[in-house]
């Protein structure tokens, strides 16, 4: 993975063909939004691992598909260019290790954004809902809360950088800080409840 100063990136993957005939390469430029989605995909994978969720998940980008299969311990990467397709597989541990540095870069950018510091402060004050906290051992709860807060910061920082963002407007006004706190807390709570089984989430 390569990241650039403007927030874009490039994914490159060398692999051996199924018949073992030579080395092929998948390369794909990523927009700012693509890179953010890829980082969120990696963060979500880490959350699912902590929660013991072995279901498959998929990320669809422009011309790129990533299919995560925890039961096989690998991610299938499909690159479509015109009428041609390339498919490769990469170990989940290799993917997560490679993405760790990219996640850190994107988090640093989120913190350095106009409202990043304030968002991080508000998010840090958000506990896990009891419905989720009670399902987890203390170390698991800490891991889930940490990664959940990272995901919230990435998403909310991106939101406040959009033109006309209602949350950015609240954060700018001192008189609206209480409302901003409620908005952030509600967003983090919604993310957390989304980790529960569907029936429990509906009851929350």
């Amino acid at each position: 993975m390569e990241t650039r100063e403007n927030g874009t990136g490039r994914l490159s993957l060398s692999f051996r063909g199924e018949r073992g005939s030579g080395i092929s390469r998948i390369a794909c430029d990523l927009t700012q939004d693509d890179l953010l989605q890829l980082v969120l995909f990696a963060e979500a994978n880490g959350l699912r691992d902590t929660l013991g969720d072995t279901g498959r998940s998929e990320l669809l980008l422009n011309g790129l598909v990533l299919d995560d299969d925890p039961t096989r311990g690998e991610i299938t990467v499909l690159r479509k260019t015109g009428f041609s397709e390339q498919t490769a597989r990469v170990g989940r541990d290799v993917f997560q290790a490679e993405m760790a540095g990219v996640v850190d870069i994107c988090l640093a950018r989120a913190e350095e954004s106009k409202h990043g510091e304030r968002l991080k402060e508000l998010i840090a004050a958000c506990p896990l809902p009891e419905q989720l906290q009670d399902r987890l051992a203390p170390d698991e709860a800490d891991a889930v809360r940490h990664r959940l807060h990272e995901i919230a910061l990435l998403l909310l920082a991106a939101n406040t950088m959009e033109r006309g963002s209602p949350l950015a407007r609240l954060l700018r006004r001192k008189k609206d800080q209480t409302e901003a706190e409620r908005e952030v807390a509600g967003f983090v709570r919604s993310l957390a409840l989304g980790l529960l089984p569907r029936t429990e989430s509906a009851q929350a």
Side-chain angles (χ1 to χ4, degrees), residues 122-176:
L122 294 178
I123 292 168
C126 298
L128 289 180
E130 291 183 4
Q131 300 97 311
L132 183 59
Q133 182 86 32
D134 293 344
R135 295 171 59 94
L136 303 170
D139 58 335
E140 291 175 334
D142 288 341
V144 168
R145 181 170 55 251
H146 176 74
R147 202 175 290 269
L148 189 71
H149 284 183
E150 289 183 339
I151 291 173
L153 177 60
L154 289 166
L155 289 170
L156 291 177
N159 174 280
T160 57
M161 286 187 281
E162 294 177 359
R163 186 173 183 178
S165 165
L167 179 56
R169 190 179 306 116
L170 292 175
L171 290 167
R172 282 196 299 268
R173 299 173 180 172
K174 290 185 178 181
K175 66 178 183 178
D176 291 332

Side-chain angles (χ1 to χ4, degrees), residues 36-125:
L36 175 59
Q37 293 305 313
L38 190 60
V39 164
L40 292 170
F41 180 71
E43 289 278 75
N45 286 349
L47 265 179
R48 293 169 62 235
D49 289 343
T50 301
L51 295 169
D53 182 355
T54 58
R56 296 176 69 166
S57 63
E58 190 175 70
L59 174 66
L60 305 177
L61 299 175
N62 184 23
L64 191 66
V65 181
L66 282 79
D67 182 1
D68 176 35
D69 186 353
T71 61
R72 298 181 61 180
E74 64 183 22
I75 293 175
T76 301
V77 181
L78 172 64
R79 170 70 165 145
K80 295 183 179 181
T81 307
F83 294 103
S84 65
E85 293 186 355
Q86 291 176 288
T87 302
R89 292 179 176 82
V90 59
R92 296 180 81 249
D93 54 346
V94 174
F95 175 79
Q96 291 296 108
E98 183 68 20
M99 287 300 301
V102 183
V103 171
D104 288 342
I105 290 171
C106 289
L107 283 170
R109 287 175 177 162
E111 291 177 20
E112 293 166 2
S113 66
K114 184 173 182 179
H115 299 289
E117 186 175 345
R118 178 58 174 155
L119 285 171
K120 186 176 181 180
E121 177 185 332
L122 294 178
I123 292 168

